[in-house]
Amino acid sequence: MTSEMIEQLRAAVRDVPNFPKAGIVIDLFLERCRGRNIDKIVGIDARGFLFGSAVAYELGIGFVPIRKRGKLPYRTETAKYSLEYGEAEMEMHTDGVTSGEHVVLVDDLLATGGTSAAAAVLIRKAGGHLLEAQFLIELEFLHGREQLEPTPVTSFLKY
């Protein structure tokens, strides 16, 4: 990441507006999910847990966490992804998503797309159909959605 990108990121994070009423963030995700054939919501560590678990609860479906390597109990599958300064790994329980399930990925921020792309790999490796990736905020200048192609991406606030 260049110093110019870092400055754009800092400026965007400072200018994120507060939502004026309780629940509006969850409602945005719910509007995208209601009436669709979704079996599981997958949330990325850690804010994706907050949004994703609330959405899954409201829809009456399962929630699956994806975390950094070594944080989940039980058997896991691992996917590596690149960072500006090296590599990292994400994990999902081997029984979190089963073959044929329809899945929506939920997280707070789409930046460079590395973490989300690793999550998509884990979902597909388990046999899940990734219907959409949804984010509260997208930093468009970092082109993260390109990492998720061909998955449709929805973001509610774009900077």
Side-chain angles (χ1 to χ4, degrees), residues 39-145:
D39 299 302
K40 299 273 176 71
I41 298 291
V42 172
I44 299 173
D45 191 351
R47 288 172 296 274
F49 295 176
L50 300 173
F51 299 144
S53 60
V55 171
Y57 175 78
E58 286 293 322
L59 296 174
I61 61 176
F63 174 76
V64 179
I66 290 184
R67 297 198 71 187
K68 293 173 181 73
R69 186 173 183 179
K71 301 289 185 181
L72 291 172
Y74 192 61
R75 290 188 304 266
T76 59
E77 186 65 56
T78 304
K80 291 182 181 184
Y81 64 101
S82 295
L83 301 165
E84 310 75 65
Y85 49 84
E87 283 191 337
E89 295 176 300
M90 300 298 287
E91 289 183 326
M92 181 178 79
H93 284 132
T94 55
D95 62 352
V97 173
T98 58
S99 184
E101 287 188 316
H102 296 100
V103 176
V104 171
L105 178 65
V106 171
D107 203 7
D108 66 324
L109 179 69
L110 176 58
T112 62
T115 306
S116 303
V121 165
L122 290 170
I123 292 164
R124 290 187 181 108
K125 201 182 279 189
H129 299 289
L130 183 54
L131 302 176
E132 186 173 56
Q134 300 177 2
F135 304 90
L136 177 61
I137 300 168
E138 179 179 357
L139 303 178
E140 293 180 299
F141 60 91
L142 294 176
H143 308 286
R145 69 174 48 226

